[in-house]
Amino acid sequence: MQASILRHSFTRQALGQQRSLASKRLMSSSTEATQKKAQDALAAAQKNAGKFLDGAKKFLEPLGDKVGQLLGSYKQPLLYNLAVTKEIFKQIYVKEGLQPPTLDAFKSAYSSLWSQISNPGLVGNLVKSGELGRVGVYGLQAYGIFKIGEIIGRRHVVGYKLD
């Protein structure tokens, strides 16, 4: 009886080892296939980006030449001043340690705003403290800036021009 139990446990261990080897082989082959697909997608994206840049260069080159002709003798000083300005901004960016905000910073800021806005006691607190007028003015300013942007975007004060 003990021999059959030992034989049974031995075959069970052997089957487990074979299964783990097979699963490792399957995982490595699927990982290799995934990596191959990712490399193919990257190569295709680089090829398409190259085509796009070539097309954009062909399209924008005559436009740049035309702008250069219109600027005449002002072209060289203007380009120089733009290059100097770019370098100054680059130095400021480095010296101040500026960097775009991280995703965590965005999440924490907007979660904080949402928790404040979703609080039902917010309006009551604003009325009691007298801050409701200031919040109203801020809202009105935001709406006004939005409407001015709309007017500029439409290039017309009321509605869109229909041609």
Side-chain angles (χ1 to χ4, degrees):
M1 173 138 167
Q2 278 190 341
S4 68
I5 292 174
L6 287 174
R7 191 175 338 130
H8 180 69
S9 67
F10 179 72
T11 55
R12 184 182 243 176
Q13 288 176 351
L15 283 174
Q17 289 175 351
Q18 287 176 353
R19 285 183 185 157
S20 68
L21 286 174
S23 67
K24 286 180 184 176
R25 287 182 192 145
L26 180 64
M27 286 175 49
S28 66
S29 66
S30 67
T31 304
E32 290 172 5
T34 304
Q35 288 177 348
K36 175 88 169 113
K37 286 181 184 179
Q39 288 174 348
D40 292 343
L42 179 63
Q46 287 176 339
K47 181 180 174 186
N48 290 336
K51 286 181 182 178
F52 174 75
L53 290 175
D54 290 340
K57 194 180 290 184
K58 286 180 184 176
F59 176 73
L60 293 176
E61 193 170 327
L63 182 64
D65 292 340
K66 184 70 172 174
V67 170
Q69 289 173 356
L70 290 174
L71 288 174
S73 63
Y74 293 112
K75 178 182 175 184
Q76 204 272 334
L78 181 67
L79 291 177
Y80 174 78
N81 288 337
L82 288 174
V84 169
T85 305
K86 180 183 90 169
E87 292 300 320
I88 289 172
F89 281 134
K90 197 185 304 182
Q91 287 181 6
I92 291 171
Y93 189 85
V94 170
K95 291 284 184 187
E96 293 293 326
L98 300 175
Q99 60 185 0
T102 62
L103 186 59
D104 292 333
F106 272 117
K107 284 182 182 179
S108 66
Y110 282 106
S111 66
S112 171
L113 286 173
W114 180 251
S115 67
Q116 290 175 7
I117 290 171
S118 62
N119 184 6
L122 176 69
V123 176
N125 291 337
L126 290 176
V127 170
K128 288 179 187 175
S129 66
E131 296 279 325
L132 189 60
R134 187 185 327 177
V135 171
V137 169
Y138 289 158
L140 189 61
Q141 286 176 346
Y143 180 73
I145 291 169
F146 172 77
K147 291 308 281 183
I148 289 170
E150 283 278 308
I151 291 169
I152 292 170
R154 288 190 301 242
R155 296 186 182 111
H156 200 261
V157 176
V158 179
Y160 291 93
K161 289 185 180 180
L162 299 176
D163 294 327

